[in-house]
Structure formats: structure tokens, C-alpha cells
Coordinates of all heavy atoms in Angstrom, one line a residue:
P1 N 12.7 -8.7 -39.3 CA 13.8 -9.7 -39.1 C 13.4 -10.5 -37.8 O 12.8 -9.9 -36.9 CB 15.0 -8.9 -38.8 CG 14.5 -7.4 -38.7 CD 13.2 -7.3 -39.2
P2 N 13.9 -11.7 -37.7 CA 13.7 -12.5 -36.4 C 14.3 -11.9 -35.2 O 15.4 -11.2 -35.3 CB 14.3 -13.9 -36.7 CG 15.2 -13.6 -38.0 CD 14.7 -12.4 -38.7
S3 N 13.7 -12.1 -34.1 CA 14.2 -11.5 -32.9 C 15.5 -12.3 -32.4 O 15.5 -13.6 -32.6 CB 13.2 -11.4 -31.8 OG 12.9 -12.7 -31.3
S4 N 16.4 -11.7 -31.9 CA 17.6 -12.5 -31.4 C 17.6 -12.6 -29.9 O 17.0 -11.8 -29.2 CB 18.8 -11.6 -31.8 OG 19.9 -12.0 -31.1
A5 N 18.1 -13.7 -29.4 CA 18.2 -13.8 -27.9 C 19.0 -12.9 -27.3 O 18.9 -12.6 -26.1 CB 18.7 -15.3 -27.7
L6 N 19.8 -12.2 -28.1 CA 20.8 -11.1 -27.5 C 20.1 -9.7 -27.6 O 20.7 -8.7 -27.3 CB 22.1 -11.1 -28.2 CG 22.8 -12.5 -28.2 CD1 24.1 -12.4 -29.0 CD2 23.1 -12.7 -26.7
S7 N 18.9 -9.6 -28.2 CA 18.3 -8.3 -28.2 C 18.0 -7.7 -26.8 O 17.7 -8.6 -25.9 CB 17.0 -8.3 -29.1 OG 16.1 -9.2 -28.4
T8 N 18.0 -6.4 -26.8 CA 17.7 -5.8 -25.6 C 16.2 -5.9 -25.2 O 15.3 -5.6 -26.0 CB 18.0 -4.3 -25.6 OG1 19.3 -4.2 -26.0 CG2 17.8 -3.6 -24.3
P9 N 15.9 -6.4 -23.9 CA 14.4 -6.5 -23.6 C 13.8 -5.1 -23.4 O 14.5 -4.2 -23.1 CB 14.6 -7.4 -22.2 CG 15.9 -7.1 -21.8 CD 16.8 -6.8 -22.9
D10 N 12.5 -5.1 -23.4 CA 11.8 -3.9 -23.0 C 12.1 -3.6 -21.6 O 12.1 -4.3 -20.7 CB 10.3 -4.1 -23.2 CG 10.0 -4.3 -24.8 OD1 10.6 -3.7 -25.6 OD2 8.9 -4.9 -25.0
P11 N 12.2 -2.2 -21.3 CA 12.4 -1.8 -20.0 C 11.1 -2.1 -19.1 O 10.1 -2.2 -19.6 CB 12.7 -0.3 -20.1 CG 12.1 0.1 -21.3 CD 12.1 -1.0 -22.3
P12 N 11.4 -2.4 -17.8 CA 10.2 -2.7 -17.0 C 9.2 -1.4 -17.0 O 9.7 -0.3 -17.0 CB 10.8 -3.1 -15.6 CG 12.2 -2.4 -15.6 CD 12.6 -2.3 -17.1
L13 N 8.0 -1.7 -16.6 CA 7.1 -0.6 -16.4 C 7.4 0.1 -15.2 O 7.7 -0.5 -14.2 CB 5.6 -1.1 -16.5 CG 5.2 -1.8 -17.8 CD1 3.8 -2.4 -17.6 CD2 5.1 -0.8 -18.9
P14 N 7.1 1.4 -15.1 CA 7.4 2.1 -13.8 C 6.4 1.7 -12.9 O 5.3 1.4 -13.2 CB 7.2 3.6 -14.3 CG 6.4 3.5 -15.5 CD 6.8 2.3 -16.2
P15 N 6.7 1.8 -11.6 CA 5.7 1.3 -10.5 C 4.5 2.3 -10.7 O 4.7 3.5 -10.9 CB 6.5 1.4 -9.2 CG 7.7 2.2 -9.6 CD 8.0 2.2 -11.0
L16 N 3.5 1.9 -10.2 CA 2.3 2.7 -9.9 C 2.5 3.6 -8.8 O 3.3 3.3 -7.9 CB 1.0 1.9 -9.8 CG 0.6 1.1 -11.0 CD1 -0.6 0.2 -10.6 CD2 0.2 1.9 -12.1
P17 N 1.8 4.8 -8.7 CA 1.9 5.7 -7.5 C 1.5 4.9 -6.3 O 0.8 4.0 -6.2 CB 1.0 6.8 -7.7 CG 0.7 6.8 -9.1 CD 0.8 5.2 -9.6
A18 N 2.2 5.3 -5.1 CA 1.9 4.7 -3.8 C 0.4 4.9 -3.3 O -0.1 5.9 -3.8 CB 2.9 5.2 -2.8
V19 N 0.0 4.1 -2.5 CA -1.3 4.2 -1.9 C -1.1 4.4 -0.4 O -0.2 3.9 0.2 CB -2.2 3.0 -2.3 CG1 -1.7 1.8 -1.7 CG2 -3.7 3.2 -1.7
S20 N -2.0 5.3 0.2 CA -1.7 5.5 1.7 C -3.1 5.2 2.4 O -4.2 5.1 1.8 CB -1.4 6.9 1.9 OG -2.3 7.8 1.5
F21 N -2.9 5.0 3.7 CA -4.1 4.6 4.6 C -4.0 5.5 5.9 O -2.9 5.8 6.3 CB -4.2 3.2 4.8 CG -2.9 2.5 5.4 CD1 -2.8 2.6 6.8 CD2 -2.0 1.9 4.7 CE1 -1.6 2.0 7.5 CE2 -0.9 1.2 5.3 CZ -0.7 1.3 6.7
G22 N -5.1 5.8 6.4 CA -5.2 6.4 7.7 C -5.7 5.5 8.8 O -5.7 4.3 8.5
A23 N -6.4 6.1 9.8 CA -6.9 5.2 10.8 C -7.8 6.1 11.8 O -7.7 7.2 11.9 CB -5.8 4.6 11.6
C24 N -8.6 5.3 12.5 CA -9.3 5.9 13.7 C -9.5 4.6 14.6 O -9.2 3.5 14.3 CB -10.6 6.5 13.2 SG -11.9 5.3 12.9
C25 N -10.0 4.9 15.8 CA -10.4 3.9 16.8 C -9.1 3.0 17.2 O -8.0 3.5 17.2 CB -11.4 3.0 16.2 SG -12.8 3.8 15.7
G26 N -9.4 1.8 17.7 CA -8.3 1.0 18.2 C -7.5 0.3 17.2 O -7.8 0.3 16.0
L27 N -6.5 -0.4 17.6 CA -5.5 -1.1 16.8 C -6.2 -2.1 15.9 O -6.0 -2.2 14.7 CB -4.4 -1.7 17.6 CG -3.2 -2.3 16.8 CD1 -2.7 -1.2 15.9 CD2 -2.2 -2.8 17.7
G28 N -7.1 -2.9 16.5 CA -7.8 -4.1 15.8 C -8.6 -3.4 14.5 O -8.6 -4.0 13.5
H29 N -9.4 -2.4 14.9 CA -10.1 -1.8 13.8 C -9.3 -1.1 12.8 O -9.6 -1.3 11.5 CB -11.0 -0.7 14.5 CG -12.0 0.0 13.6 ND1 -11.8 1.2 13.1 CD2 -13.2 -0.4 13.3 CE1 -12.7 1.5 12.3 NE2 -13.6 0.5 12.4
R30 N -8.2 -0.6 13.1 CA -7.4 0.1 12.2 C -6.8 -1.0 11.2 O -6.8 -0.9 10.0 CB -6.1 0.7 12.8 CG -6.5 1.9 13.6 CD -5.2 2.4 14.3 NE -5.6 3.4 15.2 CZ -5.0 4.6 15.4 NH1 -4.0 4.9 14.7 NH2 -5.5 5.4 16.3
L31 N -6.3 -2.1 11.8 CA -5.7 -3.1 11.0 C -6.5 -3.9 10.1 O -6.2 -4.3 9.1 CB -4.7 -4.1 11.8 CG -3.6 -3.4 12.5 CD1 -2.9 -4.5 13.4 CD2 -2.7 -2.8 11.5
S32 N -7.8 -4.0 10.6 CA -8.8 -4.7 9.7 C -9.1 -4.0 8.5 O -9.6 -4.5 7.5 CB -10.2 -4.9 10.5 OG -10.8 -3.6 10.7
R33 N -8.7 -2.7 8.4 CA -8.9 -1.8 7.2 C -7.5 -1.6 6.5 O -7.4 -1.4 5.3 CB -9.5 -0.5 7.6 CG -11.0 -0.7 7.8 CD -11.5 0.2 8.9 NE -12.9 0.1 9.0 CZ -13.6 -0.9 9.7 NH1 -12.9 -1.9 10.2 NH2 -14.8 -0.8 9.8
N34 N -6.5 -1.5 7.2 CA -5.2 -1.2 6.7 C -4.5 -2.4 6.0 O -3.9 -2.2 5.0 CB -4.2 -0.6 7.8 CG -4.7 0.7 8.4 OD1 -4.2 1.0 9.4 ND2 -5.6 1.4 7.8
I35 N -4.7 -3.6 6.5 CA -4.0 -4.8 6.0 C -4.6 -5.0 4.6 O -3.8 -5.3 3.6 CB -4.2 -6.0 6.9 CG1 -3.3 -5.9 8.1 CG2 -3.8 -7.3 6.1 CD1 -3.4 -6.9 9.2
P36 N -5.9 -4.9 4.3 CA -6.3 -5.1 2.9 C -5.8 -4.1 1.9 O -5.4 -4.3 0.8 CB -7.8 -4.9 3.0 CG -8.2 -5.4 4.4 CD -7.0 -4.9 5.2
T37 N -5.5 -2.9 2.5 CA -4.9 -1.8 1.7 C -3.4 -2.1 1.3 O -3.0 -1.9 0.2 CB -4.9 -0.4 2.4 OG1 -6.4 -0.1 2.7 CG2 -4.4 0.7 1.5
M38 N -2.8 -2.7 2.4 CA -1.3 -3.2 2.1 C -1.4 -4.3 1.0 O -0.5 -4.3 0.2 CB -0.8 -3.7 3.4 CG -0.4 -2.7 4.5 SD 0.4 -3.3 5.8 CE -0.7 -2.7 7.1
I39 N -2.3 -5.2 1.2 CA -2.3 -6.3 0.1 C -2.6 -5.7 -1.2 O -2.0 -6.1 -2.2 CB -3.5 -7.4 0.6 CG1 -3.0 -8.1 1.9 CG2 -3.7 -8.3 -0.6 CD1 -4.1 -8.8 2.4
Y40 N -3.6 -4.8 -1.3 CA -3.9 -4.1 -2.6 C -2.6 -3.4 -3.1 O -2.4 -3.6 -4.3 CB -5.0 -3.1 -2.3 CG -5.3 -2.2 -3.4 CD1 -6.0 -2.5 -4.6 CD2 -4.9 -0.8 -3.3 CE1 -6.3 -1.7 -5.6 CE2 -5.2 0.0 -4.3 CZ -5.9 -0.3 -5.4 OH -6.1 0.5 -6.4
A41 N -1.9 -2.7 -2.3 CA -0.7 -2.0 -2.8 C 0.3 -2.9 -3.4 O 0.9 -2.7 -4.5 CB -0.2 -1.1 -1.8
L42 N 0.7 -4.0 -2.6 CA 1.7 -5.0 -2.9 C 1.3 -5.7 -4.2 O 2.1 -6.0 -5.1 CB 2.0 -5.8 -1.8 CG 2.7 -5.1 -0.6 CD1 2.8 -6.0 0.6 CD2 4.1 -4.6 -1.1
A43 N 0.1 -6.3 -4.2 CA -0.4 -7.0 -5.4 C -0.4 -6.3 -6.7 O -0.3 -6.8 -7.7 CB -1.8 -7.6 -5.1
N44 N -0.6 -5.0 -6.6 CA -0.7 -4.2 -7.8 C 0.6 -3.4 -8.0 O 0.7 -2.4 -8.8 CB -1.8 -3.1 -7.7 CG -3.2 -3.9 -7.7 OD1 -3.5 -4.4 -8.8 ND2 -3.9 -3.9 -6.7
K45 N 1.7 -3.9 -7.4 CA 3.0 -3.3 -7.5 C 3.1 -1.8 -7.3 O 3.7 -1.1 -8.1 CB 3.6 -3.7 -8.9 CG 3.6 -5.2 -9.1 CD 4.3 -5.6 -10.3 CE 4.5 -7.1 -10.6 NZ 4.1 -8.0 -9.6
M46 N 2.5 -1.4 -6.3 CA 2.5 0.0 -5.9 C 3.5 0.3 -4.9 O 3.6 1.5 -4.4 CB 1.2 0.5 -5.4 CG 0.0 0.3 -6.5 SD -1.6 0.5 -5.7 CE -2.3 1.6 -6.8
G47 N 4.3 -0.7 -4.5 CA 5.3 -0.6 -3.5 C 4.7 -0.7 -2.1 O 3.5 -1.1 -2.0
P48 N 5.5 -0.4 -1.1 CA 4.8 -0.4 0.2 C 3.7 0.6 0.4 O 3.8 1.7 -0.1 CB 5.9 -0.2 1.2 CG 7.0 0.5 0.4 CD 6.7 0.1 -1.0
A49 N 2.6 0.3 1.1 CA 1.6 1.2 1.4 C 2.1 2.1 2.4 O 3.0 2.0 3.2 CB 0.4 0.6 2.0
V50 N 1.6 3.4 2.4 CA 2.1 4.5 3.3 C 1.1 4.7 4.4 O -0.1 5.0 4.1 CB 2.2 5.8 2.4 CG1 2.7 6.9 3.3 CG2 3.2 5.6 1.2
A51 N 1.6 4.5 5.6 CA 0.8 4.7 6.8 C 0.8 6.2 7.2 O 1.8 6.8 7.3 CB 1.4 3.9 8.0
N52 N -0.4 6.7 7.2 CA -0.6 8.2 7.5 C -1.5 8.3 8.7 O -2.6 8.8 8.7 CB -1.2 8.9 6.4 CG -1.3 10.4 6.6 OD1 -2.4 10.9 6.7 ND2 -0.2 11.0 6.6
W53 N -1.0 7.8 9.9 CA -1.8 7.9 11.2 C -1.4 9.2 11.8 O -0.3 9.5 11.9 CB -1.4 6.7 12.0 CG -1.8 5.3 11.6 CD1 -2.7 5.1 10.6 CD2 -1.6 4.1 12.3 NE1 -2.8 3.6 10.5 CE2 -2.3 3.1 11.6 CE3 -1.0 3.7 13.5 CZ2 -2.3 1.7 11.9 CZ3 -1.0 2.5 13.9 CH2 -1.6 1.4 13.1
K54 N -2.4 9.9 12.3 CA -2.1 11.2 12.8 C -2.0 11.2 14.4 O -1.3 12.1 14.9 CB -3.2 12.2 12.5 CG -3.3 12.5 11.0 CD -2.0 13.1 10.5 CE -2.0 13.6 9.1 NZ -0.7 14.0 8.6
D55 N -2.5 10.2 15.0 CA -2.5 10.2 16.5 C -1.2 9.5 17.1 O -0.7 9.9 18.1 CB -3.7 9.6 17.1 CG -4.0 8.2 16.6 OD1 -3.5 7.8 15.6 OD2 -4.9 7.6 17.2
V56 N -0.8 8.5 16.5 CA 0.4 7.7 16.9 C 1.1 7.3 15.6 O 0.4 6.9 14.7 CB 0.1 6.5 17.8 CG1 -0.7 5.5 17.0 CG2 1.3 5.9 18.3
N57 N 2.4 7.6 15.6 CA 3.1 7.2 14.4 C 3.2 5.8 14.2 O 3.4 5.0 15.1 CB 4.5 7.8 14.4 CG 4.6 9.3 14.3 OD1 3.6 10.0 13.9 ND2 5.6 10.0 14.9
W58 N 3.1 5.3 12.9 CA 3.3 3.9 12.5 C 4.6 3.4 13.2 O 4.6 2.3 13.7 CB 3.3 3.8 11.0 CG 3.5 2.5 10.5 CD1 4.7 2.0 9.9 CD2 2.6 1.5 10.2 NE1 4.6 0.7 9.5 CE2 3.2 0.3 9.7 CE3 1.2 1.3 10.6 CZ2 2.6 -0.8 9.3 CZ3 0.6 0.1 10.2 CH2 1.3 -1.0 9.6
S59 N 5.6 4.1 13.0 CA 6.9 3.6 13.4 C 7.0 3.3 15.0 O 7.9 2.6 15.4 CB 8.0 4.6 13.1 OG 7.8 5.8 13.7
V60 N 6.1 4.0 15.8 CA 6.1 3.7 17.2 C 5.7 2.3 17.4 O 6.2 1.6 18.4 CB 5.2 4.6 17.9 CG1 5.0 4.3 19.4 CG2 5.7 6.0 17.8
L61 N 4.7 1.7 16.6 CA 4.2 0.4 16.9 C 4.9 -0.7 16.0 O 5.1 -1.8 16.4 CB 2.8 0.3 16.6 CG 1.9 1.2 17.6 CD1 0.5 1.2 17.1 CD2 2.1 0.7 18.9
F62 N 5.2 -0.3 14.7 CA 5.8 -1.3 13.8 C 7.0 -1.1 13.0 O 7.7 -2.0 12.8 CB 4.6 -1.5 12.6 CG 3.3 -2.0 13.2 CD1 2.2 -1.1 13.3 CD2 3.1 -3.2 13.7 CE1 1.0 -1.5 13.8 CE2 1.9 -3.6 14.3 CZ 0.9 -2.7 14.3
G63 N 7.3 0.2 12.8 CA 8.4 0.4 12.0 C 8.2 0.2 10.5 O 7.4 -0.6 10.1
D64 N 9.0 0.8 9.7 CA 8.9 0.7 8.2 C 9.3 -0.8 7.8 O 10.2 -1.4 8.4 CB 9.8 1.7 7.5 CG 9.3 3.0 7.7 OD1 8.1 3.3 8.2 OD2 10.0 4.0 7.3
S65 N 8.7 -1.2 6.7 CA 9.0 -2.6 6.2 C 8.7 -2.6 4.7 O 8.3 -1.6 4.2 CB 8.1 -3.7 6.9 OG 6.8 -3.6 6.5
E66 N 8.9 -3.8 4.1 CA 8.5 -3.9 2.7 C 7.0 -3.8 2.4 O 6.6 -3.7 1.3 CB 9.1 -5.2 2.1 CG 8.5 -6.4 2.7 CD 9.2 -7.6 2.3 OE1 9.0 -8.0 1.1 OE2 9.9 -8.4 3.1
Y67 N 6.3 -3.9 3.4 CA 4.7 -3.8 3.3 C 4.2 -2.5 3.6 O 3.1 -2.1 2.9 CB 4.2 -4.9 4.2 CG 4.8 -6.2 4.1 CD1 5.5 -6.8 5.1 CD2 4.6 -7.0 3.0 CE1 6.1 -8.0 4.9 CE2 5.1 -8.3 2.8 CZ 5.9 -8.7 3.7 OH 6.5 -10.0 3.6
A68 N 4.7 -1.7 4.6 CA 4.2 -0.5 4.9 C 5.4 0.5 5.4 O 6.2 0.0 6.1 CB 3.1 -0.6 5.9
V69 N 5.2 1.8 5.1 CA 6.2 2.7 5.7 C 5.3 4.0 6.2 O 4.3 4.2 5.6 CB 7.2 3.2 4.5 CG1 8.0 2.1 4.1 CG2 6.4 3.8 3.3
E70 N 5.9 4.7 7.1 CA 5.3 5.9 7.5 C 5.5 7.0 6.5 O 6.5 7.1 5.9 CB 5.8 6.2 8.9 CG 5.2 7.4 9.6 CD 5.8 7.6 11.0 OE1 6.2 6.6 11.6 OE2 5.8 8.7 11.4
G71 N 4.4 7.8 6.4 CA 4.6 8.9 5.3 C 3.4 9.8 5.3 O 2.4 9.6 6.0
E72 N 3.4 10.6 4.3 CA 2.3 11.6 4.0 C 1.3 10.9 3.2 O 1.5 10.0 2.4 CB 2.8 12.8 3.4 CG 3.7 13.6 4.3 CD 3.2 14.1 5.6 OE1 2.0 14.5 5.6 OE2 3.8 14.0 6.7
K73 N 0.1 11.5 3.2 CA -1.1 11.0 2.3 C -0.6 11.1 0.8 O 0.2 12.0 0.4 CB -2.3 11.9 2.4 CG -3.1 11.8 3.6 CD -4.3 12.7 3.4 CE -5.1 12.7 4.7 NZ -6.3 13.6 4.6
T74 N -1.0 10.1 0.1 CA -0.8 10.1 -1.3 C -2.1 10.4 -2.0 O -3.1 10.6 -1.4 CB -0.3 8.7 -1.8 OG1 -1.4 7.7 -1.5 CG2 1.0 8.3 -1.0
E75 N -2.1 10.5 -3.4 CA -3.3 10.8 -4.1 C -4.4 9.8 -3.9 O -5.5 10.2 -3.8 CB -2.9 10.9 -5.6 CG -4.0 11.5 -6.4 CD -3.7 11.7 -7.8 OE1 -2.5 12.1 -8.1 OE2 -4.5 11.6 -8.8
E76 N -3.9 8.5 -3.9 CA -4.9 7.4 -3.6 C -4.8 7.2 -2.1 O -3.9 6.4 -1.6 CB -4.6 6.2 -4.4 CG -5.7 5.1 -4.2 CD -5.5 3.9 -5.2 OE1 -4.6 3.9 -6.0 OE2 -6.2 3.0 -5.0
H77 N -5.8 7.6 -1.3 CA -5.7 7.5 0.2 C -7.0 6.9 0.8 O -8.1 7.3 0.3 CB -5.6 8.9 0.8 CG -5.5 8.9 2.3 ND1 -4.4 8.5 3.0 CD2 -6.4 9.2 3.2 CE1 -4.5 8.6 4.3 NE2 -5.9 9.0 4.4
Y78 N -6.8 6.0 1.6 CA -8.0 5.4 2.3 C -7.9 5.8 3.8 O -7.2 5.1 4.6 CB -8.0 3.8 2.1 CG -8.1 3.5 0.6 CD1 -7.0 3.3 -0.1 CD2 -9.3 3.4 0.0 CE1 -7.0 3.1 -1.5 CE2 -9.4 3.1 -1.3 CZ -8.3 3.0 -2.0 OH -8.4 2.7 -3.5
G79 N -8.7 6.8 4.1 CA -8.7 7.3 5.4 C -9.1 6.3 6.5 O -8.3 5.9 7.4
N80 N -10.3 5.8 6.5 CA -10.8 4.8 7.4 C -11.4 3.7 6.7 O -12.5 3.1 7.2 CB -11.7 5.4 8.5 CG -12.0 4.4 9.6 OD1 -11.1 3.7 10.0 ND2 -13.3 4.5 10.1
G81 N -10.9 3.4 5.5 CA -11.5 2.4 4.8 C -10.6 1.5 4.0 O -9.3 1.5 4.5
M82 N -10.9 0.9 2.9 CA -10.0 0.1 2.2 C -10.4 0.1 0.7 O -11.6 0.5 0.5 CB -10.0 -1.4 2.7 CG -11.3 -2.0 2.6 SD -11.4 -3.6 3.4 CE -12.0 -3.3 5.0
P83 N -9.6 -0.3 -0.2 CA -10.1 -0.4 -1.6 C -11.2 -1.3 -1.7 O -11.2 -2.4 -1.2 CB -8.8 -0.8 -2.4 CG -7.6 -0.6 -1.5 CD -8.2 -0.7 0.0
K84 N -12.2 -0.9 -2.5 CA -13.4 -1.8 -2.6 C -13.0 -3.2 -3.2 O -13.5 -4.2 -2.9 CB -14.5 -1.1 -3.6 CG -15.2 0.0 -2.7 CD -16.3 0.4 -3.5 CE -17.2 1.5 -2.9 NZ -17.0 2.4 -2.1
A85 N -12.1 -3.2 -4.2 CA -11.7 -4.5 -4.9 C -10.4 -5.0 -4.5 O -9.6 -5.3 -5.2 CB -11.7 -4.1 -6.4
W86 N -10.1 -4.9 -3.2 CA -8.9 -5.4 -2.7 C -8.7 -6.8 -2.8 O -7.6 -7.5 -3.0 CB -8.5 -4.9 -1.3 CG -9.2 -5.7 -0.2 CD1 -10.5 -5.4 0.2 CD2 -8.8 -6.9 0.5 NE1 -10.8 -6.3 1.2 CE2 -9.9 -7.2 1.3 CE3 -7.7 -7.7 0.4 CZ2 -9.8 -8.2 2.1 CZ3 -7.7 -8.7 1.3 CH2 -8.7 -9.1 2.2
Y87 N -9.7 -7.6 -2.6 CA -9.7 -9.1 -2.4 C -9.3 -9.8 -3.8 O -8.7 -10.8 -3.8 CB -11.0 -9.6 -1.9 CG -12.2 -9.1 -2.6 CD1 -12.8 -9.8 -3.6 CD2 -12.9 -8.0 -2.1 CE1 -13.9 -9.3 -4.3 CE2 -14.0 -7.5 -2.8 CZ -14.5 -8.2 -3.9 OH -15.7 -7.8 -4.6
P88 N -9.7 -9.3 -5.0 CA -9.1 -10.0 -6.1 C -7.7 -10.0 -6.3 O -7.1 -10.7 -7.0 CB -9.9 -9.2 -7.3 CG -11.1 -8.6 -6.7 CD -10.6 -8.2 -5.4
S89 N -7.1 -9.0 -5.6 CA -5.5 -8.8 -5.7 C -4.9 -9.9 -4.9 O -3.8 -10.2 -5.2 CB -5.2 -7.5 -5.0 OG -5.9 -6.4 -5.7
A90 N -5.6 -10.5 -3.9 CA -5.0 -11.4 -3.0 C -4.6 -12.7 -3.7 O -5.3 -13.2 -4.6 CB -5.8 -11.6 -1.8

């Protein structure tokens, strides 16, 4: 039968699991690796990236936002790196 404009749409796909990032060294070095991870997470609808800094809490410097929140490591974690293919997401 033909579809009706009143038919129920398919439910949205569930979000992908969150991605987390760690850090070492100074703030500039950290952010040069963490910002690509945030872009990757947001572009792939993984929600905000999870900051898992052990020496100073993310919230001390930045606070939680729609881009990053403080939390525990997730299954997909980038300790002192970034996703290899983050740039096609941008």
C-alpha cells in the first residue's frame, strides 16, 4: 500500500557509544590531540567526548559542555592521541 503522510516515522538510531580522551604534557599539547577527538565524537553523533585527565580535572579548567564532559574512560579511548580518521568528520 502507498505510504501515508500520517504514518509513524522510523525511530531515530540510538547514539553511538561515547569516546574518551586522556592527556599528558602541557595544555597546548593536550588540546592539539583532544580537540580532534571532540570533533570526531560530535561529527559521528557520539555525544560529547569524555575528558579523562588524571592530573587535573577537566572541570577545573573548562567545565562540562555540549562538546566535552569530565568522566571515566570509555571503550574507545585516546590516551595521548586522536582518531586516525578524525579529519574526514570535520
Side-chain angles (χ1 to χ4, degrees):
S3 66
S4 165
L6 300 176
S7 63
T8 305
D10 292 333
L13 295 174
L16 294 172
V19 60
S20 63
F21 57 84
C24 79
C25 306
L27 186 59
H29 185 261
R30 291 173 191 229
L31 293 179
S32 72
R33 284 143 177 81
N34 296 163
I35 290 172
T37 305
M38 289 182 235
I39 292 169
Y40 168 78
L42 292 168
N44 290 293
K45 301 193 181 343
M46 299 169 135
V50 179
N52 184 248
W53 290 358
K54 294 300 184 186
D55 56 345
V56 63
N57 291 338
W58 175 262
S59 61
V60 169
L61 298 173
F62 301 108
D64 292 346
S65 71
E66 62 185 292
Y67 309 109
V69 296
E70 186 174 327
E72 296 301 315
K73 281 184 186 179
T74 62
E75 187 173 329
E76 186 174 356
H77 179 76
Y78 297 93
N80 188 37
M82 65 185 90
K84 287 187 176 28
W86 75 270
Y87 53 88
S89 303

